Amino acid sequence: MGKAIRDIYGETLAELGAENSDIVVLDADLSGSTKSKVFGQKFPDRFFNMGIAESDMVSCAAGLASVGKIPFVNTFTVFLTTLGLIATRAQVCYGNLNVKLAGAYCGMSDALDGATHHATEDIAAMRALPNMQVIVPSDPASARWATRYAAAHEGPVYLRLSRSEYPELYPGDTEFSPGKAKIVREGTDCTVFAIGILVHKALEAAELLAAEGISVQVVDLLSVKPIDAGLVAACAAKTGAVVCAEEHQIYGGAGSAVAEVLAHAGVGAPTEFVGIQDVFTETGKYDSLLAAYGLDAEAVAAAAKRAMERK
């Protein structure tokens, strides 16, 4: 396993702080968990603990951006994209301000704290906002790139970050591009479009199906908004069957973004959705929760078979 995504984010944020004195960091009294404390320890004069006041924190970040600073806003994903949403919409996105929102503990990765702390609707909220970009790292290398890209991009960016360790998927020198997906496994019978931890579950599923003579292509979307529409349409047309896999509600997330692309492109591939099925999640160990809500390799493999049966 590689490092935890939150650790990679914290390290990279501190590196960026040394490179650019305009970068400032705000946290809602959770810097030990979000790992923004790594930045705060090195640059205390540019680190602001805003307390448990998420909307005010985002508003302050908007003000800092308006005078030329590059603020990174940090707290648990569920609070950033709910309590912080009105300021994100009305100030950051409406003003197209240079604010970076780093949602830690995405999906069910804050496993033992249960539904109040699980973030399973955040992509739906954030990708609907004009001017907002939505990026979901899938391993340490992509998390490092995403953090650096957010700092360099002029405009709002939402980083969907996990608490957990993700296996290494890409070499450290991999080149990523904004709005571009990565084919991480070639295949001919079905394409799985995935984000975050589900990229790894999709690769496991592809191995299971390969043993049955089924060839599955796996695509790491990385960017949900903007989405790599050309690659999505081409892969769906190539394999003729699609699975969308994400640690998010099946409504409004990456799967919905893929379906929109296919509808617009006129690609009529049967599509299955692996995600949380319109329910609130429960408390439990992370791996157990992924299995309980149908987000494991076996569930992805079963969805691929269903999609292929409908060709």
Side-chain angles (χ1 to χ4, degrees):
M1 293 288 282
K3 284 186 176 180
I5 296 299
R6 60 175 179 162
D7 288 325
I8 295 295
Y9 168 75
E11 292 171 6
T12 307
L13 193 58
E15 293 169 5
L16 288 165
E19 298 167 11
N20 189 338
S21 61
D22 283 331
I23 291 177
V24 296
V25 172
L26 299 84
D27 203 294
D29 209 25
L30 287 167
S31 63
S33 298
T34 65
K35 300 303 179 180
S36 70
K37 73 173 184 179
V38 181
F39 181 100
Q41 289 167 346
K42 292 188 175 182
F43 310 103
D45 57 329
R46 289 189 273 145
F47 177 80
F48 306 96
N49 184 353
M50 306 301 295
I52 305 173
E54 292 82 0
S55 186
D56 288 346
M57 176 172 62
V58 177
S59 292
C60 287
L64 287 163
S66 73
V67 294
K69 301 302 180 185
I70 305 172
F72 277 75
V73 181
N74 302 267
T75 188
F76 286 2
T77 301
V78 68
F79 305 130
L80 183 60
T81 60
T82 53
L83 298 170
L85 183 59
I86 189 168
T88 299
R89 179 186 184 275
Q91 295 173 285
V92 173
C93 289
Y94 185 71
N96 197 19
L97 298 175
N98 197 27
V99 175
K100 320 305 169 182
L101 304 174
Y105 290 45
C106 72
M108 298 181 290
S109 63
D110 193 8
L112 295 175
D113 283 335
T116 59
H117 284 57
H118 294 172
T120 63
E121 313 89 6
D122 55 303
I123 295 175
M126 301 307 284
R127 81 179 186 94
L129 295 174
N131 297 317
M132 181 65 75
Q133 294 195 2
V134 178
I135 300 175
V136 188
S138 57
D139 86 326
S142 59
R144 188 172 290 107
W145 166 80
T147 307
R148 286 191 163 274
Y149 169 72
H153 173 73
E154 184 70 29
V157 177
Y158 170 53
L159 300 176
R160 191 180 205 241
L161 306 171
S162 179
R163 178 186 190 276
S164 299
E165 295 179 358
Y166 284 6
E168 293 185 357
L169 184 59
Y170 303 105
D173 60 354
T174 301
E175 292 187 6
F176 299 93
S177 299
K180 293 298 181 181
K182 291 278 190 184
I183 298 174
V184 293
R185 183 184 177 112
E186 294 282 358
T188 56
D189 296 327
C190 181
T191 299
V192 180
F193 296 106
I195 56 171
I197 192 65
L198 265 295
V199 177
H200 303 280
K201 301 302 181 184
L203 289 169
E204 293 174 25
E207 284 294 324
L208 294 175
L209 293 172
E212 301 179 33
I214 300 171
S215 176
V216 173
Q217 180 165 259
V218 179
V219 177
D220 180 2
L221 288 174
L222 283 167
S223 176
V224 178
K225 183 188 177 186
I227 193 168
D228 193 345
L231 184 64
V232 167
C235 289
K238 170 189 170 184
T239 62
V242 166
V243 174
C244 302
E246 58 187 320
E247 188 185 2
H248 186 276
Q249 297 288 344
I250 57 171
Y251 300 112
S256 294
V258 168
E260 291 162 13
V261 168
L262 299 183
H264 187 266
V267 178
T271 303
E272 293 286 328
F273 297 89
V274 172
I276 297 166
Q277 303 290 317
D278 198 26
V279 297
F280 285 102
T281 48
E282 299 177 353
T283 301
K285 293 183 178 179
Y286 189 38
D287 286 342
S288 298
L289 290 172
L290 291 172
Y293 290 98
L295 305 180
D296 56 8
E298 289 75 13
V300 176
K305 287 183 176 180
R306 292 195 301 271
M308 289 169 55
E309 288 171 357
R310 293 165 51 207
K311 281 190 183 182

